[in-house]
Amino acid sequence: MDLSTATVIYCLFVAALFLGLWMFYDRRDHALFEHARRKSTFMCARCNHLYAASGRPDSCECPRCGHANARLRF
Ligand SMILES: [Zn+2]
């Protein structure tokens, strides 16, 4: 193996490494965004406390008073 072949392989390796990192962070940011977007907002009927829960549950207990509230529908 001569030096130019080694250089080409090294450059390809570095490029693949950066591509892999870029894809990893892109996917992770997308997952974070999707997770935040899927949050449901709840308004407590008993103490008027506004809170959010991840996912799309139909009801969630208030973290302040424990009252089970139905999901707000916009
Ligand atoms: Zn409450």
Side-chain angles (χ1 to χ4, degrees), residues 9-42:
I9 289 171
Y10 177 75
C11 285
L12 283 173
F13 177 74
V14 171
L17 188 75
F18 274 96
L19 193 71
L21 277 174
W22 176 71
M23 283 171 77
F24 172 74
Y25 281 109
D26 191 59
R27 275 169 170 265
R28 199 193 61 167
D29 287 353
H30 188 71
L32 280 172
F33 174 74
E34 281 293 307
H35 185 73
R37 204 171 63 89
R38 277 201 293 265
K39 277 198 170 198
S40 305
T41 311
F42 291 90

Side-chain angles (χ1 to χ4, degrees), residues 44-49 51 62-67 69:
C44 184
R46 187 185 285 172
C47 69
N48 285 337
H49 180 57
Y51 60 101
C62 174
R64 187 184 282 173
C65 69
H67 180 74
N69 298 285

